[in-house]
Amino acid sequence: MNYTKSIALFEEAKKYIPGGVNSPVRAFKSVGGTPLFIERGEGSRIFDADKNEYIEYVGSWGPHLFGHNPKFIIDALKSALENGTSFGAPTELEIKMAKIITELVPSIEKIRMVNSGTEATMSAIRAARGFTNRNKFIKFEGCYHGHADYFLIKAGSGALTFGVPTSPGVTAANAADTLVADYNYINSVKTLIHENKNEIAAIIIEPIAGNMGVVPASKEFLAELRDICTEEEIVLIFDEVMSGFRVAKGGAQEVYGIKPDMTTFGKIIGGGLPVGAFGGRKDIMDTLAPVGPVYQAGTLSGNPLAMSAGIAALTHIKENKNLYNILEEKSQYLEDGIKENMKKFNKSFAMNRVGSMSCLFFTDKKVDNFPSALTSDAPLYGKYFHKMLENGVYLAPSQFEAMFISTAHSKEDLDKTIEANYLSLRELL
Ligand SMILES: *Cc1c(COP(=O)(O)O)cnc(C)c1O
């Protein structure tokens, strides 16, 4: 493949944009090489500045459940555009959006729209703190909840019971209220609660973690979290920015049959536009201004363009009863193909999958939390990534990201991908 134009564009971009990108993982730092500049997407394919074509599995990091440029979303956007892009005043579209989410996800009694997943999670934490009058919250190592200060915290080592910042610019004061537990290991949660009795406002978790590769929580673990939160009057927040409308129409909470107190959304609910949302129990949501005292706002929140794209996506989900079965079939087919290939090379790398989100970890260990995810051979993944690219398949440029299948991926696409996987593994193993 020829990447001449992408290489030139990257050099140009670096002059004006830090690292040439508007979000760090796009820069290919963890796999090496130059990021591809994308010109166009269509269904399961993307086309770069050098006119190379790829079957792709990033889907803009999750939003594109139906592939790129589905006609029904583009049509909805075109007709919304005729009436104006934003008014900063209520519109009927916002009611439509709120209604359809509350229908699809029964735990949501009230919901508020924002512009990104980051805004959704930070607002949910603020609401939970306001509601409980407590300051601390628990998150899990390896889960990602956007880039608000108090989420960029990892577990302290040794004698430290509080977290430490993972980024300069995040203060120790911020870290002091963030407690970090071990994903899927309930005792780590119990210990933190015991040590911080009546001080914990919320527990926030990706019920299917998708930001350390794909690591599903066990059902027992989530059920225990639910019970502990009820007992201790802690707000249980499911961060379904990725898993919401990805693994089922009701998200991970439908798959597991567990009802959180609050849920955050993003990605798919925007139909490809910048949207996030947080919602849940009425009594908690009504602590928000203007009903209650907890401040939260947004100039472009709920704007008609974003709402129209989101409504189109969610309506499609609501009306296509078979959608998640089709995604499951496609995903199972790809998983089987990749596993068959590994057998041919006597390898049994961990492949985690829930519906159309999956991850091939380059490790023989079972991956069920962050430390086990880290046993993966990330440099080998980097080589695999580039081999796949040469074979016409664009994967996430990091071992610790999810692979997404869309309804636009055809059997032919999947067969080509399985073949590319075979050829890549053959060269590497
Ligand atoms: C992507 C993601 C976020 C952050 O969303 P942004 O729109 O990138 O701010 C938060 N939580 C989870 C689980 C995510 O996958």
Side-chain angles (χ1 to χ4, degrees):
M1 296 242 186
N2 177 4
Y3 306 123
T4 316
K5 278 205 173 149
S6 279
I7 291 170
L9 287 169
F10 190 46
E11 287 313 308
E12 179 80 354
K14 281 192 284 190
K15 291 182 199 161
Y16 308 104
I17 306 168
V21 292
N22 280 312
S23 196
V25 70
R26 295 178 196 171
F28 279 25
K29 261 195 124 167
S30 66
V31 291
T34 302
L36 302 183
F37 280 65
I38 307 303
E39 261 182 15
R40 191 166 71 78
E42 193 186 313
S44 62
R45 312 292 172 114
I46 50 170
F47 302 82
D48 70 14
D50 294 282
K51 315 291 177 203
N52 300 312
E53 178 179 345
Y54 308 90
I55 303 168
E56 76 105 21
Y57 293 91
V58 182
S60 189
W61 301 96
H64 294 316
L65 189 65
F66 317 105
H68 295 269
N69 266 0
K71 190 171 180 314
F72 60 91
I73 292 182
I74 302 306
D75 287 347
L77 277 169
K78 279 182 184 162
S79 69
L81 198 51
E82 299 282 309
N83 294 327
T85 57
S86 181
F87 310 112
T91 61
E92 197 174 344
L93 288 168
E94 293 160 85
I95 309 175
K96 245 184 157 169
M97 182 74 162
K99 264 188 168 167
I100 193 164
I101 296 173
T102 55
E103 274 172 45
L104 294 175
V105 189
S107 74
I108 308 291
E109 295 172 348
K110 286 193 173 177
I111 187 144
R112 184 167 274 178
M113 307 308 299
V114 292
N115 304 291
S116 69
T118 294
E119 269 185 78
T121 52
M122 60 181 250
S123 304
I125 289 289
R126 187 180 304 143
R129 283 171 163 166
F131 179 74
T132 56
N133 240 323
R134 298 171 178 176
N135 292 341
K136 295 180 181 176
F137 73 92
I138 296 177
K139 76 176 282 282
F140 294 88
E141 206 181 8
C143 284
Y144 179 68
H145 305 292
H147 65 89
D149 286 353
Y150 43 80
F151 291 125
L152 300 181
I153 309 292
K154 62 178 177 186
S157 54
L160 297 178
T161 55
F162 48 87
V164 291
T166 58
S167 166
V170 176
T171 64
N174 258 309
D177 284 332
T178 303
L179 309 170
V180 184
D182 190 7
Y183 198 81
N184 267 331
Y185 290 80
I186 199 69
N187 283 341
S188 67
V189 178
K190 288 182 179 163
T191 306
L192 288 174
I193 290 176
H194 180 73
E195 287 169 357
N196 298 275
K197 197 82 185 157
N198 298 324
E199 289 185 276
I200 297 171
I203 296 182
I204 186 167
I205 185 167
E206 288 179 79
I208 298 165
N211 290 288
M212 50 172 149
V214 173
V215 181
S218 78
K219 186 163 181 169
E220 305 72 59
F221 173 68
L222 287 184
E224 280 203 76
L225 270 190
R226 175 64 278 178
D227 288 346
I228 290 173
C229 285
T230 305
E231 260 165 50
E232 300 287 334
E233 294 177 4
I234 293 169
V235 177
L236 178 60
I237 305 170
F238 275 10
D239 181 356
E240 297 226 45
V241 170
M242 187 185 289
S243 57
F245 311 103
R246 166 59 63 183
V247 295
K249 67 174 172 39
Q253 53 197 275
E254 178 184 312
V255 173
Y256 286 93
I258 290 173
K259 198 171 166 185
D261 301 304
M262 294 186 83
T263 305
T264 55
F265 295 108
K267 301 196 168 121
I268 289 172
I269 58 160
L273 267 73
V275 181
F278 64 107
R281 271 166 49 187
K282 213 176 348 195
D283 55 347
I284 302 175
M285 291 304 287
D286 279 342
T287 59
L288 292 173
V291 192
V294 177
Y295 189 71
Q296 189 281 328
T299 300
L300 289 166
S301 293
N303 73 80
L305 271 192
M307 292 305 97
S308 298
I311 291 165
L314 297 183
T315 305
H316 199 79
I317 287 169
K318 191 179 143 188
E319 289 173 356
N320 287 268
K321 303 279 178 237
N322 220 10
L323 183 80
Y324 292 96
N325 293 333
I326 292 168
L327 283 167
E328 172 63 26
E329 253 169 52
K330 289 179 194 287
S331 308
Q332 180 75 58
Y333 184 80
L334 184 63
E335 179 186 343
D336 290 347
I338 292 174
K339 284 187 169 163
E340 273 305 304
N341 286 343
M342 285 195 287
K343 264 191 214 153
K344 291 173 192 158
F345 303 105
N346 284 320
K347 289 285 174 193
S348 52
F349 293 138
M351 186 153 180
N352 287 356
R353 182 176 74 79
V354 183
S356 59
M357 56 192 277
S358 66
C359 181
L360 174 61
F361 292 95
F362 284 85
T363 176
D364 297 329
K365 300 228 159 52
K366 171 182 160 202
V367 176
D368 67 348
N369 64 356
F370 191 56
S372 51
L374 288 183
T375 64
S376 303
D377 186 343
L380 180 58
Y381 180 87
K383 289 182 193 147
Y384 171 71
F385 169 85
H386 284 287
K387 291 287 177 215
M388 289 296 277
L389 215 51
E390 282 167 28
N391 286 307
V393 178
Y394 185 95
L395 302 172
S398 161
Q399 166 73 86
F400 304 105
E401 300 288 350
M403 177 174 182
F404 297 111
I405 290 182
S406 76
T407 55
H409 286 84
S410 65
K411 180 163 180 296
E412 189 203 349
D413 289 334
L414 302 175
D415 283 332
K416 280 190 180 162
T417 305
I418 293 167
E419 175 69 8
N421 169 265
Y422 175 79
L423 295 173
S424 304
L425 292 180
R426 191 177 65 183
E427 284 192 58
L428 294 172
L429 299 175

Coordinates of all heavy atoms in Angstrom, one line a residue, residues 151-209:
F151 N -11.3 11.2 36.8 CA -11.3 9.9 36.3 C -9.9 9.4 35.9 O -9.7 8.3 35.7 CB -12.2 9.8 35.1 CG -13.7 9.9 35.4 CD1 -14.5 10.8 34.7 CD2 -14.3 9.0 36.3 CE1 -15.8 10.9 35.0 CE2 -15.7 9.1 36.5 CZ -16.4 10.1 35.9
L152 N -9.0 10.4 35.7 CA -7.7 10.1 35.3 C -6.8 9.7 36.5 O -5.8 10.4 36.8 CB -7.1 11.2 34.5 CG -7.9 11.6 33.2 CD1 -7.2 12.8 32.5 CD2 -8.1 10.4 32.3
I153 N -7.2 8.7 37.2 CA -6.6 8.3 38.4 C -6.4 6.8 38.4 O -7.3 6.0 37.9 CB -7.6 8.6 39.6 CG1 -8.1 10.0 39.5 CG2 -7.0 8.2 40.9 CD1 -7.2 11.1 39.8
K154 N -5.3 6.3 38.9 CA -5.0 4.9 39.0 C -4.8 4.6 40.5 O -4.7 5.5 41.3 CB -3.8 4.5 38.2 CG -2.5 5.1 38.6 CD -1.3 4.6 37.8 CE -0.1 5.4 38.3 NZ 1.1 5.1 37.5
A155 N -4.9 3.3 40.8 CA -4.7 2.8 42.2 C -3.3 3.3 42.7 O -2.3 3.2 42.0 CB -4.8 1.3 42.2
G156 N -3.3 3.7 43.9 CA -2.0 4.1 44.6 C -1.3 2.8 44.9 O -2.0 1.7 45.1
S157 N 0.0 2.8 45.0 CA 0.7 1.6 45.3 C 1.0 1.5 46.8 O 0.9 2.5 47.5 CB 2.0 1.5 44.5 OG 2.7 2.7 44.8
G158 N 1.2 0.3 47.2 CA 1.6 0.0 48.6 C 0.7 0.6 49.7 O -0.5 0.3 49.7
A159 N 1.2 1.5 50.5 CA 0.5 2.0 51.6 C -0.6 3.0 51.2 O -1.5 3.4 52.0 CB 1.4 2.6 52.6
L160 N -0.6 3.5 50.0 CA -1.6 4.5 49.6 C -2.9 3.9 49.4 O -3.1 3.0 48.7 CB -1.2 5.1 48.2 CG 0.2 5.9 48.2 CD1 0.4 6.4 46.7 CD2 0.1 7.1 49.1
T161 N -3.9 4.4 50.1 CA -5.3 3.9 50.0 C -6.0 4.7 48.9 O -7.0 4.3 48.4 CB -6.1 3.9 51.3 OG1 -6.0 5.2 51.8 CG2 -5.5 2.9 52.2
F162 N -5.5 6.0 48.7 CA -6.2 6.8 47.7 C -5.5 6.7 46.4 O -4.4 6.2 46.3 CB -6.3 8.2 48.2 CG -5.0 8.8 48.7 CD1 -4.1 9.4 47.8 CD2 -4.7 8.7 50.0 CE1 -2.9 9.9 48.3 CE2 -3.5 9.2 50.5 CZ -2.6 9.8 49.7
G163 N -6.2 7.2 45.3 CA -5.6 7.1 44.0 C -4.6 8.1 43.7 O -4.4 9.1 44.4
V164 N -3.8 7.9 42.6 CA -2.8 8.9 42.1 C -3.1 9.3 40.7 O -3.6 8.4 39.9 CB -1.4 8.4 42.2 CG1 -1.0 8.3 43.7 CG2 -1.2 7.1 41.5
P165 N -2.9 10.6 40.3 CA -3.2 11.0 39.0 C -2.4 10.2 37.9 O -1.2 9.9 38.1 CB -2.8 12.5 39.0 CG -2.8 12.9 40.4 CD -2.4 11.7 41.2
T166 N -3.0 10.0 36.7 CA -2.3 9.4 35.6 C -1.9 10.4 34.6 O -1.3 10.1 33.6 CB -3.2 8.3 34.9 OG1 -4.4 9.0 34.4 CG2 -3.6 7.2 35.8
S167 N -2.2 11.7 34.9 CA -1.8 12.7 34.0 C -1.4 14.0 34.7 O -2.0 14.4 35.7 CB -3.0 13.1 33.1 OG -2.8 14.3 32.4
P168 N -0.3 14.6 34.3 CA 0.0 15.9 34.9 C -1.2 16.8 34.6 O -1.9 16.7 33.6 CB 1.2 16.4 34.0 CG 1.8 15.2 33.4 CD 0.7 14.2 33.3
G169 N -1.4 17.8 35.5 CA -2.5 18.7 35.3 C -3.7 18.2 36.2 O -4.6 19.0 36.4
V170 N -3.7 17.0 36.6 CA -4.7 16.5 37.6 C -4.1 16.6 39.0 O -3.0 16.1 39.2 CB -5.1 15.0 37.3 CG1 -6.1 14.5 38.3 CG2 -5.6 14.9 35.8
T171 N -4.9 17.2 39.9 CA -4.3 17.5 41.2 C -4.5 16.3 42.1 O -5.3 15.5 42.0 CB -5.0 18.7 41.8 OG1 -6.4 18.4 42.0 CG2 -4.9 20.0 40.9
A172 N -3.6 16.3 43.1 CA -3.7 15.3 44.2 C -5.1 15.4 44.9 O -5.6 14.4 45.3 CB -2.6 15.5 45.2
A173 N -5.6 16.7 45.0 CA -6.9 16.8 45.6 C -8.0 16.1 44.9 O -8.9 15.5 45.5 CB -7.2 18.3 45.7
N174 N -7.9 16.2 43.5 CA -8.8 15.4 42.7 C -8.7 13.9 43.0 O -9.7 13.2 43.1 CB -8.6 15.7 41.2 CG -9.5 16.7 40.7 OD1 -10.7 16.5 40.8 ND2 -9.0 17.7 40.0
A175 N -7.5 13.5 43.0 CA -7.2 12.0 43.2 C -7.7 11.5 44.5 O -8.1 10.4 44.7 CB -5.7 11.8 43.1
A176 N -7.7 12.4 45.5 CA -8.1 12.0 46.9 C -9.5 11.4 47.0 O -9.8 10.6 47.9 CB -7.8 13.1 47.9
D177 N -10.4 11.9 46.1 CA -11.8 11.5 46.2 C -12.1 10.3 45.3 O -13.3 9.9 45.2 CB -12.7 12.6 46.0 CG -12.8 13.6 47.2 OD1 -12.6 13.1 48.3 OD2 -13.1 14.8 47.0
T178 N -11.1 9.9 44.5 CA -11.3 8.8 43.6 C -10.7 7.5 44.1 O -9.5 7.5 44.3 CB -10.7 9.1 42.2 OG1 -11.3 10.3 41.7 CG2 -11.0 7.9 41.2
L179 N -11.5 6.5 44.4 CA -11.0 5.2 44.9 C -11.0 4.2 43.7 O -11.9 4.2 43.0 CB -11.9 4.7 46.0 CG -12.2 5.8 47.1 CD1 -13.2 5.3 48.1 CD2 -10.9 6.1 47.9
V180 N -9.9 3.4 43.6 CA -9.8 2.6 42.5 C -9.8 1.1 42.9 O -9.0 0.7 43.8 CB -8.5 2.9 41.7 CG1 -8.4 2.0 40.4 CG2 -8.4 4.4 41.3
A181 N -10.8 0.3 42.4 CA -10.9 -1.1 42.7 C -10.5 -2.0 41.5 O -10.3 -1.5 40.4 CB -12.3 -1.4 43.1
D182 N -10.4 -3.3 41.8 CA -10.0 -4.3 40.8 C -11.2 -4.8 40.1 O -12.1 -5.4 40.8 CB -9.2 -5.4 41.5 CG -8.5 -6.3 40.6 OD1 -8.5 -6.0 39.4 OD2 -8.0 -7.3 41.1
Y183 N -11.3 -4.7 38.8 CA -12.5 -5.1 38.0 C -12.7 -6.6 38.2 O -11.8 -7.4 38.2 CB -12.2 -4.8 36.5 CG -13.4 -4.9 35.6 CD1 -14.2 -3.8 35.5 CD2 -13.7 -6.0 34.8 CE1 -15.3 -3.7 34.7 CE2 -14.8 -6.0 34.0 CZ -15.6 -4.9 33.9 OH -16.7 -4.9 33.0
N184 N -14.0 -7.0 38.4 CA -14.4 -8.4 38.6 C -14.0 -9.0 40.0 O -14.3 -10.2 40.2 CB -13.8 -9.3 37.5 CG -14.8 -9.4 36.3 OD1 -16.0 -9.3 36.5 ND2 -14.3 -9.6 35.1
Y185 N -13.3 -8.2 40.8 CA -12.9 -8.7 42.1 C -13.7 -8.0 43.2 O -13.3 -6.9 43.6 CB -11.4 -8.7 42.3 CG -10.8 -9.8 41.4 CD1 -10.6 -9.5 40.0 CD2 -10.5 -11.1 41.8 CE1 -10.1 -10.5 39.1 CE2 -10.0 -12.0 41.0 CZ -9.8 -11.8 39.6 OH -9.3 -12.7 38.8
I186 N -14.7 -8.6 43.8 CA -15.6 -7.8 44.7 C -15.0 -7.5 46.0 O -15.3 -6.5 46.6 CB -16.9 -8.7 44.9 CG1 -18.1 -7.7 45.4 CG2 -16.7 -9.8 45.8 CD1 -18.6 -6.7 44.4
N187 N -14.0 -8.3 46.4 CA -13.4 -8.0 47.7 C -12.7 -6.6 47.7 O -12.6 -5.9 48.7 CB -12.4 -9.1 48.1 CG -13.2 -10.3 48.7 OD1 -14.3 -10.2 49.1 ND2 -12.5 -11.5 48.7
S188 N -12.1 -6.2 46.6 CA -11.5 -4.9 46.5 C -12.5 -3.8 46.7 O -12.2 -2.8 47.3 CB -10.7 -4.8 45.2 OG -11.7 -4.7 44.1
V189 N -13.7 -4.0 46.3 CA -14.8 -3.1 46.5 C -15.2 -3.0 48.0 O -15.3 -2.0 48.6 CB -16.0 -3.4 45.6 CG1 -17.1 -2.4 45.9 CG2 -15.6 -3.4 44.2
K190 N -15.3 -4.2 48.5 CA -15.8 -4.3 49.9 C -14.7 -3.6 50.9 O -15.1 -2.9 51.8 CB -15.9 -5.8 50.4 CG -17.2 -6.4 49.7 CD -17.3 -7.8 50.2 CE -18.6 -8.5 49.6 NZ -18.6 -9.9 49.7
T191 N -13.5 -3.8 50.6 CA -12.4 -3.2 51.4 C -12.5 -1.7 51.3 O -12.5 -1.0 52.4 CB -11.0 -3.6 50.9 OG1 -11.0 -5.0 50.9 CG2 -9.9 -3.1 51.8
L192 N -12.7 -1.1 50.1 CA -12.8 0.3 50.0 C -14.0 0.9 50.7 O -13.9 2.0 51.3 CB -12.8 0.7 48.5 CG -11.5 0.6 47.7 CD1 -11.8 0.8 46.2 CD2 -10.4 1.5 48.3
I193 N -15.1 0.2 50.6 CA -16.3 0.7 51.3 C -16.1 0.6 52.8 O -16.5 1.6 53.5 CB -17.5 -0.2 50.8 CG1 -17.8 0.2 49.4 CG2 -18.8 0.1 51.7 CD1 -19.0 -0.6 48.7
H194 N -15.5 -0.4 53.3 CA -15.3 -0.6 54.7 C -14.4 0.6 55.2 O -14.6 1.2 56.3 CB -14.6 -1.9 55.0 CG -14.3 -2.2 56.4 ND1 -15.3 -2.5 57.3 CD2 -13.2 -2.2 57.1 CE1 -14.8 -2.6 58.5 NE2 -13.5 -2.4 58.4
E195 N -13.4 0.9 54.4 CA -12.4 2.0 54.8 C -13.0 3.4 54.7 O -12.4 4.4 55.2 CB -11.1 1.9 54.0 CG -10.3 0.7 54.4 CD -9.1 0.5 53.4 OE1 -9.1 1.2 52.4 OE2 -8.3 -0.4 53.7
N196 N -14.1 3.5 53.9 CA -14.7 4.8 53.6 C -16.2 4.9 53.9 O -17.0 5.3 53.1 CB -14.4 5.2 52.2 CG -12.9 5.3 51.9 OD1 -12.3 6.3 52.1 ND2 -12.3 4.2 51.4
K197 N -16.5 4.3 55.0 CA -17.9 4.1 55.4 C -18.7 5.4 55.3 O -18.3 6.5 55.8 CB -18.0 3.6 56.8 CG -19.3 3.0 57.2 CD -19.4 1.5 56.7 CE -20.8 1.0 57.1 NZ -21.2 -0.1 56.2
N198 N -19.9 5.4 54.6 CA -20.7 6.6 54.5 C -20.1 7.8 53.8 O -20.6 8.9 54.0 CB -21.3 7.0 55.8 CG -22.2 5.9 56.4 OD1 -22.9 5.2 55.7 ND2 -22.1 5.8 57.8
E199 N -19.0 7.5 53.0 CA -18.4 8.6 52.3 C -18.5 8.5 50.8 O -18.0 9.3 50.1 CB -16.9 8.7 52.7 CG -16.6 9.1 54.1 CD -15.1 9.3 54.4 OE1 -14.5 8.2 54.7 OE2 -14.6 10.4 54.2
I200 N -19.0 7.3 50.4 CA -18.9 7.0 48.9 C -20.3 7.4 48.3 O -21.3 6.8 48.6 CB -18.6 5.6 48.7 CG1 -17.1 5.3 49.2 CG2 -18.6 5.2 47.2 CD1 -16.7 3.9 49.3
A201 N -20.2 8.3 47.3 CA -21.4 8.7 46.6 C -21.8 7.7 45.5 O -23.0 7.5 45.4 CB -21.2 10.1 46.0
A202 N -20.8 7.2 44.8 CA -21.1 6.4 43.6 C -20.1 5.4 43.3 O -18.9 5.5 43.7 CB -21.3 7.3 42.4
I203 N -20.6 4.3 42.7 CA -19.6 3.4 42.0 C -19.9 3.5 40.5 O -21.1 3.3 40.1 CB -19.8 1.9 42.5 CG1 -19.5 1.8 44.0 CG2 -19.0 1.0 41.7 CD1 -19.6 0.4 44.6
I204 N -18.9 3.8 39.8 CA -19.1 3.8 38.3 C -18.3 2.7 37.6 O -17.2 2.4 38.0 CB -18.7 5.2 37.7 CG1 -19.1 5.3 36.2 CG2 -17.2 5.6 38.0 CD1 -19.0 6.7 35.7
I205 N -19.0 2.0 36.7 CA -18.3 0.9 36.0 C -18.8 0.7 34.6 O -20.0 1.0 34.3 CB -18.6 -0.4 36.8 CG1 -17.9 -1.6 36.2 CG2 -20.1 -0.7 36.9 CD1 -17.8 -2.8 37.1
E206 N -17.9 0.3 33.7 CA -18.3 -0.2 32.4 C -18.7 -1.6 32.6 O -17.9 -2.5 32.9 CB -17.1 -0.2 31.5 CG -16.6 1.1 31.0 CD -15.4 0.9 30.0 OE1 -15.6 0.6 28.9 OE2 -14.3 1.1 30.5
P207 N -20.0 -1.9 32.5 CA -20.5 -3.3 32.8 C -19.9 -4.3 31.8 O -19.7 -5.5 32.2 CB -22.0 -3.2 32.7 CG -22.3 -2.0 32.0 CD -21.2 -1.0 32.2
I208 N -19.6 -3.8 30.6 CA -18.7 -4.6 29.7 C -17.6 -3.6 29.4 O -17.8 -2.7 28.7 CB -19.5 -5.0 28.4 CG1 -20.7 -5.9 28.8 CG2 -18.5 -5.7 27.5 CD1 -21.7 -6.0 27.7
A209 N -16.4 -3.9 30.0 CA -15.3 -2.9 29.8 C -14.9 -3.0 28.3 O -14.7 -4.1 27.8 CB -14.2 -3.2 30.7

